[in-house]
Amino acid sequence: MDIQNIKSIYFVGIGGIGMSAIARYFLQRGMVVGGYDKTPSALTRQLEEEGALIHYEENVGLIPQACRNVAQTLVIYTPAIPESHAEMVFFRQNGFEVEKRAQVLGLLTKAHKGLCFAGTHGKTTTSTMCAHIMHQSIIDCNAFLGGISKNYGTNYILSDRSDYVVIEADEFDRSFHWLSPWMTVITSTDPDHLDIYGTKEAYLESFRHYTTLIQPGGALIIHKGLEVKPDVNDSVRVYEYALNEGDFHAENIKIENGRITFDFISPIENVEDIELGQPIPINIENGVAAMAMAQLNGCTASELRYGMKTYGGVDRRFDFKINTPDLVFLSDYAHHPKEIYQSAKSLRELYRDRHITAIFQPHLYTRTRDFYKDFADALSQLDRVVLTEIYPAREEPIPGVTSELIYDNLREGVEKKIIRKADVLDFIDNNDFDVLVVLGAGDLDNDVPEIAEHLRAHASRNI
């Protein structure tokens, strides 16, 4: 189907962070957008306010009439939706064009210059940083992000004058194999999604294949030291980056009084006195990758400096809700052991002498089964670890796989506890906190605003 001939789009799983970004793209182009999702959310409510026709019951009869024209309707679905879903069955049996979200992003990378960000972790923050740098520059960009940018209050940026599109390249279900990047960053290749890939070797092979998709004349910006071996066209430029080594890196790093500054070292042009608008240690390295991509595509030194200083972060990524001398509370989407490790490390660097509590909701039975010892090691950097039950997402329970696997492997000396997610607010009311972080990619984050309210109420009672 030619994307120019489409009059209506229907999304099966419209409430996902990536799906909603594409829905906004088509809404802003004046097309009819309809969709199904299992539950209402802030995102789906916003989409409805913007004109999307959404329902929350698996019911073919609720599909809008405007989305029933086979010749003019494109159906987009997320891999999390089972093939047996009644609406999916209806669309397939009636000859509709049905494509994965990743296939549609692939079409956009063919229609525009795709600046793609791949990796086990770091891709949402890094892509959002780059999108902000470029959007506020003379270059500008479109963007489909994996999180809500705090600068724009959305996961989507539209430009009517730029041919660049920033895209988060998701390796889940090999989705990123549909893309045709002009340039790409690869942040990390720590094995994940082994329910899909089976082995570490298959996971790394998936990234190798991804590098073959970079367009001739483009570029690969890859974190130094990764196990994956790039396999690029001879005309593709390859650069390495890291915190303090590689073609792109940082020097003269200063972390003091809540500020982080450094010099950006580049084969194109060094840029001194970069200040992080979101002063978190891990964002130094993320910033190096984001600036490398932006600089390779024409952003100037002053635009890099301004973009990094004004970058406001991403919802659920080291997202501060309370930040006072007596109490710090934040949420972080970290759900892989390396992400947990980096989150805990950053907290330790920021709050060296304070008591840090983490409430962690493990995400997926398979990920818990495969990495429970690594999760325990990463969490053991903190003073107190509270575990809830596993968030299943798309999975069925696995016998013997529970949060106790992590609990039992936490290092000696770490305060630890297992509670039900339903009891988190009671736990907040009956304990004192210095620094508290909610970790995970499940639904506990939905309770973060209420947790913040209870923390404030608890603190006021103790004054």
Side-chain angles (χ1 to χ4, degrees):
M1 178 178 283
D2 186 336
I3 205 165
Q4 304 300 324
N5 295 332
I6 298 168
K7 297 289 190 291
S8 59
I9 320 288
Y10 190 84
F11 292 82
V12 188
I14 195 170
I17 194 74
M19 293 280 276
S20 60
I22 301 177
R24 285 189 161 121
Y25 174 85
F26 288 113
L27 278 168
Q28 292 197 33
R29 277 161 173 72
M31 298 181 188
V32 175
V33 172
Y36 157 86
D37 208 88
K38 191 173 182 179
T39 55
S41 67
L43 263 180
T44 59
R45 285 190 288 272
Q46 289 169 8
L47 287 171
E48 289 182 276
E49 289 172 5
E50 292 167 24
L53 307 171
I54 302 175
H55 61 269
Y56 304 95
E57 179 185 336
E58 185 178 334
N59 185 342
V60 171
L62 296 177
I63 297 171
Q65 194 62 40
C67 298
R68 292 173 177 266
N69 185 316
V70 175
Q72 297 180 341
T73 299
L74 173 64
V75 178
I76 304 173
Y77 72 101
T78 170
I81 296 292
E83 288 293 322
S84 59
H85 190 280
E87 295 180 17
M88 286 290 291
V89 172
F90 167 80
F91 286 121
R92 290 197 187 281
Q93 288 182 345
N94 287 278
F96 283 79
E97 183 86 9
V98 180
E99 295 189 353
K100 292 182 181 179
R101 164 183 169 269
Q103 290 174 274
V104 179
L105 290 177
L107 292 174
L108 293 175
T109 60
K110 291 180 175 68
H112 304 281
K113 284 188 174 180
L115 309 182
C116 303
F117 290 77
T120 315
H121 36 260
K123 55 185 176 287
T124 298
T125 296
T126 309
S127 61
T128 307
M129 275 183 174
C130 180
H132 174 61
I133 294 169
M134 294 192 67
H135 186 58
Q136 55 78 44
S137 77
I138 193 67
I139 306 298
D140 203 359
C141 69
N142 301 274
F144 295 90
L145 306 171
I148 301 297
S149 162
K150 290 194 168 184
N151 289 93
Y152 306 105
T154 180
N155 54 337
Y156 168 62
I157 296 172
L158 176 64
S159 169
D160 58 4
R161 63 184 178 87
S162 178
D163 194 37
Y164 291 101
V165 57
V166 175
I167 287 176
E168 180 171 324
D170 188 2
E171 78 277 13
F172 173 69
D173 197 35
R174 297 178 174 84
S175 292
F176 61 169
H177 289 176
W178 293 101
L179 304 178
S180 298
W182 167 240
M183 296 187 185
T184 189
V185 166
I186 298 180
T187 63
S188 49
T189 55
D190 302 298
D192 196 10
H193 304 300
L194 296 186
D195 55 322
I196 301 293
Y197 289 98
T199 66
K200 171 184 175 181
E201 290 71 26
Y203 188 78
L204 293 174
E205 165 57 24
S206 187
F207 276 90
R208 183 208 64 79
H209 177 72
Y210 172 69
T211 66
T212 71
L213 305 176
I214 302 169
Q215 296 179 23
L220 167 64
I221 307 161
I222 187 167
H223 194 288
K224 189 174 178 63
L226 299 188
E227 289 187 68
V228 66
K229 304 302 180 188
D231 184 7
V232 299
N233 181 282
D234 290 342
S235 65
V236 171
R237 294 160 286 164
V238 178
Y239 301 93
E240 291 186 320
Y241 82 95
L243 179 64
N244 48 27
E245 58 179 337
D247 301 301
F248 297 95
H249 64 274
E251 291 183 0
N252 299 321
I253 299 170
K254 297 175 184 175
I255 304 176
E256 54 189 10
N257 299 322
R259 293 178 71 239
I260 296 179
T261 58
F262 61 94
D263 296 338
F264 174 58
I265 307 304
S266 158
I268 300 169
E269 179 190 3
N270 295 346
V271 184
E272 297 180 346
D273 297 323
I274 297 292
E275 181 177 353
L276 290 181
Q278 195 189 34
I280 303 163
I282 187 58
N283 277 350
I284 302 171
E285 192 169 72
N286 290 334
V288 167
M291 287 188 289
M293 179 72 91
Q295 191 182 57
L296 285 170
N297 288 284
C299 288
T300 66
S302 60
E303 288 170 342
L304 294 178
R305 199 178 284 113
Y306 178 79
M308 291 301 293
K309 187 172 183 177
T310 57
Y311 170 72
V314 185
D315 278 356
R316 297 186 70 178
R317 268 68 174 186
F318 228 85
D319 189 358
F320 287 90
K321 304 299 182 182
I322 300 174
N323 194 355
T324 69
D326 298 320
L327 176 63
V328 174
F329 172 49
L330 66 154
S331 68
D332 195 350
Y333 191 72
H335 57 282
H336 183 279
K338 286 291 179 69
E339 295 170 347
I340 300 281
Y341 175 83
Q342 289 292 351
S343 184
K345 181 172 180 285
S346 290
L347 286 168
R348 274 287 170 228
E349 290 178 6
L350 289 169
Y351 305 109
R352 296 183 187 279
D353 301 318
R354 298 180 69 170
H355 186 276
I356 305 173
T357 300
I359 303 177
F360 176 47
Q361 181 186 37
H363 186 265
L364 299 179
Y365 293 103
T366 52
R367 187 180 283 128
T368 305
R369 177 198 63 198
D370 294 335
F371 301 118
Y372 65 88
K373 289 184 179 179
D374 298 319
F375 278 122
D377 284 343
L379 289 164
S380 292
Q381 297 177 83
L382 305 177
D383 300 296
R384 178 168 53 179
V385 176
V386 180
L387 299 164
T388 72
E389 65 270 35
I390 297 169
Y391 181 74
R394 58 189 177 273
E395 294 184 338
E396 295 297 322
I398 298 174
V401 178
T402 69
S403 297
E404 288 189 18
L405 290 173
I406 301 172
Y407 179 92
D408 291 340
N409 283 273
L410 290 165
R411 293 177 202 155
E412 190 174 341
V414 176
E415 299 175 52
K416 59 185 183 178
K417 188 177 183 66
I418 295 180
I419 63 174
R420 297 185 310 147
K421 174 182 172 287
D423 295 331
V424 165
L425 292 176
D426 285 340
F427 178 79
I428 296 297
D429 290 338
N430 291 291
N431 287 272
D432 294 318
F433 302 94
D434 187 3
V435 177
L436 172 65
V437 59
V438 167
L439 297 168
D443 60 354
L444 180 57
D445 190 77
N446 295 337
D447 297 336
V448 162
E450 199 169 358
I451 291 172
E453 288 181 15
H454 280 245
L455 284 169
R456 292 189 185 97
H458 182 69
S460 65
R461 287 195 299 269
N462 291 339
I463 293 176

